[in-house]
């Protein structure tokens, strides 16, 4: 079965967004009721996409690009569940969150990301906000899919590092490996050791335990 590809709007600069009922030739004087978004900012278009995305889709603003990603498959969720369970067994006082939106510093504006898993002290997101400041987050994790792997491996690193998130754990299904990014500095991480899936993976402080990836 083919995998749905994400929708990406790179470098949106305020062009008009046209709907299915717009006049393709531009020769109709009739007001068809379609909203005119000419001159809208990236943030405004991001909010529009977020409000109208189908249920289960994830809409993010990553390094100036609006990305809408379809729901993940069962294998992906099994890995997230296994990771969450191991953190539960070792990380006392830490909450394990899926579907949490984080504000991260972007290249030219605030980015909005939804990691596959966020680890933070319990109660860190006890509010009514949709997008949260990442100051208390100790780890974020992404599990790649064919449609998201490139940005998980590259562009998302920058926002997580700029936010000072201590550990970015990348579980790369396509490459069969785990990368543990730690020691954030500027827009990158100082350490990024890689391990083959199936091995024990040492996680740095503040988690400080061996992640068993045999079940991944």
């Amino acid at each position: 079965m083919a995998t749905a590809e994400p929708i990406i709007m790179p470098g949106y600069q305020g062009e008009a967004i046209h709907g299915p009922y717009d006049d393709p030739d531009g020769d109709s004087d009739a007001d068809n009721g379609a909203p005119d978004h000419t001159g809208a900012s990236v943030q405004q278009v991001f909010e529009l996409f977020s409000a109208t995305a189908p249920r289960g889709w994830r809409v993010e603003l990553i390094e100036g690009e609006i990305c809408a990603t379809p729901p993940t498959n069962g294998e992906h969720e099994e890995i997230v569940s296994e990771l969450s369970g191991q953190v539960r067994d070792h990380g006392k006082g830490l909450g394990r969150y899926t579907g949490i939106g984080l504000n991260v510093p972007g290249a030219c504006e605030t980015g909005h990301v939804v990691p596959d898993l966020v680890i933070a002290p319990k109660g860190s997101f006890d509010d009514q906000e949709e997008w949260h400041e990442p100051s208390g987050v100790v780890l974020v994790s992404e599990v790649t899919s064919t449609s998201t792997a490139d940005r998980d491996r590259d562009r998302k690193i920058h926002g997580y590092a700029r936010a000072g998130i201590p550990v970015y754990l990348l579980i790369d299904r396509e490459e069969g490996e785990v990368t543990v990014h730690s020691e954030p500095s500027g827009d990158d991480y100082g350490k990024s050791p890689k391990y083959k899936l199936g091995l024990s993976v040492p996680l740095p402080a503040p988690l400080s335990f061996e992640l068993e990836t045999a079940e991944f």
Side-chain angles (χ1 to χ4, degrees):
M1 180 180 296
T3 302
E5 291 297 321
I7 300 170
I8 302 177
M9 295 184 64
Y12 178 81
Q13 298 296 326
E15 300 90 342
I17 300 174
H18 299 291
Y21 301 107
D22 286 340
D23 177 17
D25 299 320
D27 57 2
S28 173
D29 294 328
D31 182 2
N32 54 33
D36 181 4
H37 297 287
T38 302
S41 67
V42 174
Q43 179 65 33
Q44 290 170 326
V45 176
F46 168 77
E47 292 171 358
L48 172 67
F49 269 59
S50 296
T52 58
R55 182 182 296 273
W57 282 58
R58 179 170 55 177
V59 182
E60 301 172 292
L61 179 58
I62 305 169
E63 297 294 288
E65 292 186 351
I66 299 170
C67 304
T69 308
T72 56
N73 59 31
E75 180 186 73
H76 179 283
E77 291 306 294
E78 287 289 347
I79 293 174
V80 174
S81 177
E82 175 64 24
L83 173 59
S84 176
Q86 291 193 43
V87 173
R88 175 198 61 212
D89 295 340
H90 294 89
K92 304 303 181 185
L94 294 176
R96 310 169 315 280
Y97 305 94
T98 58
I100 285 290
L102 298 179
N103 292 319
V104 297
C108 57
E109 68 279 303
T110 299
H112 303 296
V113 295
V114 185
D116 288 322
L117 185 67
V118 175
I119 306 301
K122 292 179 179 178
S124 294
F125 308 112
D126 187 14
D127 56 39
Q128 300 298 314
E129 300 298 323
E130 181 178 2
W131 301 100
H132 305 265
E133 296 307 312
S135 56
V137 173
V138 299
L139 179 147
V140 292
S141 181
E142 302 284 2
V143 179
T144 66
S145 300
T146 54
S147 60
T148 66
D150 287 344
R151 62 178 179 264
D152 289 342
R153 295 172 188 145
D154 183 17
R155 282 176 288 164
K156 280 197 169 182
I157 292 173
H158 306 312
Y160 293 148
R162 293 187 195 111
I165 295 173
V167 182
Y168 170 31
L169 180 68
L170 175 63
I171 300 172
D172 195 324
R173 293 191 289 172
E174 286 67 35
E175 295 295 329
E177 63 186 20
V178 178
T179 305
V180 183
H181 299 284
S182 65
E183 300 185 8
S185 177
D187 59 0
D188 207 346
Y189 283 89
K191 292 184 177 180
S192 299
K194 297 180 183 292
Y195 306 86
K196 288 295 184 183
L197 276 175
L199 301 178
S200 297
V201 175
L203 297 182
L207 291 170
S208 303
F209 72 89
E210 296 275 332
L211 178 68
E212 301 298 334
T213 69
E215 297 299 320
F216 293 178

